[in-house]
Amino acid sequence: DGFLSSVTTTCLFNSTKADDIAYIQSYYLNKLKFISFDSRVGKFVGYTELGVSNAKRWNEGPEVIQSRNEKERYCVRNVGLDYRTGLAKS
């Protein structure tokens, strides 16, 4: 009895070029995705009533700016490391 809340952060990439990298952060409640940010879209998208209301609020606040910066801070930096490590091991 209770609730399950989780967040996933994903970096999709084909190369180390920033244009080939996408940052996606998805929020779940009881295994149901209710909102996500995708750097290819550039804003939050809601999938449920709760998600739509949060997306509207987050897209008008500092949350959207912070999420847009996460691609550079989190993905671009780490993809370079992962890419070199993966190539060195293969």
Side-chain angles (χ1 to χ4, degrees), residues 14-78:
N14 292 322
S15 74
T16 57
K17 295 179 190 172
D19 290 345
D20 293 337
I21 299 172
Y23 169 80
I24 302 166
Q25 189 167 47
S26 300
Y27 296 79
Y28 298 84
L29 183 61
N30 293 337
K31 300 181 184 179
L32 177 66
K33 181 174 15 177
F34 68 94
I35 191 170
S36 69
F37 176 87
D38 186 329
S39 64
R40 298 170 294 189
V41 177
K43 65 179 184 177
F44 289 94
V45 176
Y47 301 100
T48 66
E49 186 177 338
L50 173 65
V52 169
S53 66
N54 280 337
K56 183 179 183 320
R57 190 168 40 89
W58 292 359
N59 286 329
E60 294 172 353
E63 294 87 355
V64 75
I65 303 296
Q66 181 181 355
S67 292
R68 287 177 183 156
N69 293 332
E70 286 299 293
K71 176 181 169 180
E72 292 294 325
R73 189 194 70 77
Y74 184 76
C75 288
V76 172
R77 178 179 175 192
N78 289 314

